[in-house]
Amino acid sequence: MPQFTGQLRPNEIFASLFNMIISQETFADNIDDVKSTLVDMARVDGSLYGDTKLYYSTDVLKSAPWGNDAEATNLLQLHRPKAPEVQAIFLNIFRQISLTVDNYLSKRAWGTEYAFSQFNGVMIGWIRETKRVYDATLYNSYIGTAESTVGRQQISITLPEQSGDAEATARLQGSAIAEAIANLMVDIKDVTRDFNDYGHLRSFPISSLIFVWNSEQVNKINKVDLPTIYHKEGLVDKLGEHTLPARYFGTVNTAAGTVAANNQTIRSLIEEDYTITEGQDPVHVFPGDLLPAGAQYAENTTYTVDATIICKVYHRRSVPYMSAFEVGTSFFNAKSLTENRYLTFGHNTLEYLKNYPFITVRGTTATAPAARAAKSQKAET
């Protein structure tokens, strides 16, 4: 049916009368899952006092040959450790969600007290829902686009394709991904300097790591596509442990630009209004949303979707989401008989802690020889 314009339908018997509205219902089941699992795990408390969290990273010490009695002359020698690396996280972003409601003139648009109360209740509920959407989309977009190029935090996997055989391709690619992730799980538990930006000696338990998978990539591979040898040590459980829609994975656009027509790849890293045509309402986007055609964007505020990203692997403490405060307030305007409601909150600029790994896993396709595909299938049957 078309948009309701306020025109009542004429009565079938009495042409001078119009059929009444039976009921008015405002949809309340609007947001089910905002994919907030990752941001909820990352929350850390801030404070009304101060604005900075400092994280100190120290490196391993060293041993040296011992000279028995000759060491007596070295008794007063000092052995200071190397100065620690210090990273600061700042509470520097503050935002507000605003809503105006009233209990007088707008009530005239509703036929019953229930219908009016339901509408007002839904709109007031949107204040908290908007905060949920903002937190989740901002955090998910950061996880899908942040990258480190230090050490071995960029992993590339060759994904074989068997022409004309989708089942063989799934098995081959499942094997390739499983092998690469299995190797990573072994290497990252070893004592190494390869998986943090400082190059400090570290070893990380697998239980401390979060694997976030590109849904389009992981949906291509079922657990049955993984060889039997990889069904141990929790590898299968890590496959699809946390997934995000493919739209969140991409590469940050470090230069400003203008969105072309039929945009399907450039998405926002921030919540923003984009004015396309003067005099018309701006287009509002949340992080992860496509920018409208013709939108002009600043550097580091958007990203281009990268379908080759398979997953992100990072420490569960790697990207803290610190809350400064969250305050709900209201103001009744006696002159206009309106009530303004506000939710004001603050958080830090998102960045990963350089003491921990932040690994990007990409896959590139390559045609596999038929013999290799057949051998793979035979070995797994």
Side-chain angles (χ1 to χ4, degrees), residues 158-179:
T158 299
L159 301 177
E161 284 189 337
Q162 181 59 41
S163 180
D165 194 333
E167 182 179 353
T169 295
R171 290 181 178 276
L172 287 169
Q173 293 188 356
S175 297
I177 292 175
E179 182 178 5

Side-chain angles (χ1 to χ4, degrees), residues 239-260:
L239 182 67
E241 179 183 38
H242 300 285
T243 61
L244 287 178
R247 70 184 179 116
Y248 286 114
F249 295 88
T251 304
V252 176
N253 298 319
T254 57
T258 301
V259 179

Side-chain angles (χ1 to χ4, degrees), residues 321-338:
Y321 193 66
M322 179 169 52
S323 298
F325 57 82
E326 184 175 320
V327 181
T329 54
S330 63
F331 170 75
F332 180 74
N333 188 324
K335 182 69 173 176
S336 63
L337 298 180
T338 56

Side-chain angles (χ1 to χ4, degrees), residues 19 39 48-49 62 74 119 121 154 210 243 270 276 287 307 323-324 326 334 338-339 344 349 361 366 368 378:
N19 295 335
V39 69
L48 294 178
Y49 301 96
K62 65 179 181 180
N74 299 325
F119 172 76
Q154 290 281 335
I210 295 176
T243 61
I270 59 175
I276 307 303
S323 298
E326 184 175 320
T338 56
E339 181 183 8
T344 310
T349 296
V361 181
K378 182 178 179 180

Side-chain angles (χ1 to χ4, degrees), residues 32-39 132 136-137 140 243-245 248:
D32 178 25
D33 182 9
V34 295
K35 294 291 183 182
S36 62
T37 302
L38 299 179
V39 69
R132 289 179 60 214
T137 56
N140 293 345
T243 61
L244 287 178
Y248 286 114

Side-chain angles (χ1 to χ4, degrees), residues 181-190 203-211 232-238 241 313-316 357 359:
I181 298 301
N183 290 338
L184 172 62
M185 292 170 70
V186 171
D187 293 342
I188 207 166
K189 289 191 296 183
D190 190 18
S203 174
F204 301 100
I206 300 305
S207 60
S208 71
L209 302 179
I210 295 176
F211 289 69
K232 62 179 182 178
E233 297 183 3
L235 175 58
V236 171
D237 294 334
K238 291 297 182 183
E241 179 183 38
V313 183
Y314 63 96
H315 195 280
R316 62 178 57 252
I359 301 167

Side-chain angles (χ1 to χ4, degrees), residues 1-34:
M1 296 296 290
Q3 177 78 13
F4 181 63
T5 61
Q7 180 63 53
L8 296 179
R9 292 161 54 85
N11 184 263
E12 292 82 354
I13 304 299
F14 300 104
S16 62
L17 301 181
F18 294 85
N19 295 335
M20 293 293 101
I21 297 172
I22 296 174
S23 68
Q24 295 167 288
E25 179 182 354
T26 303
F27 290 116
D29 53 346
N30 299 303
I31 299 293
D32 178 25
D33 182 9
V34 295

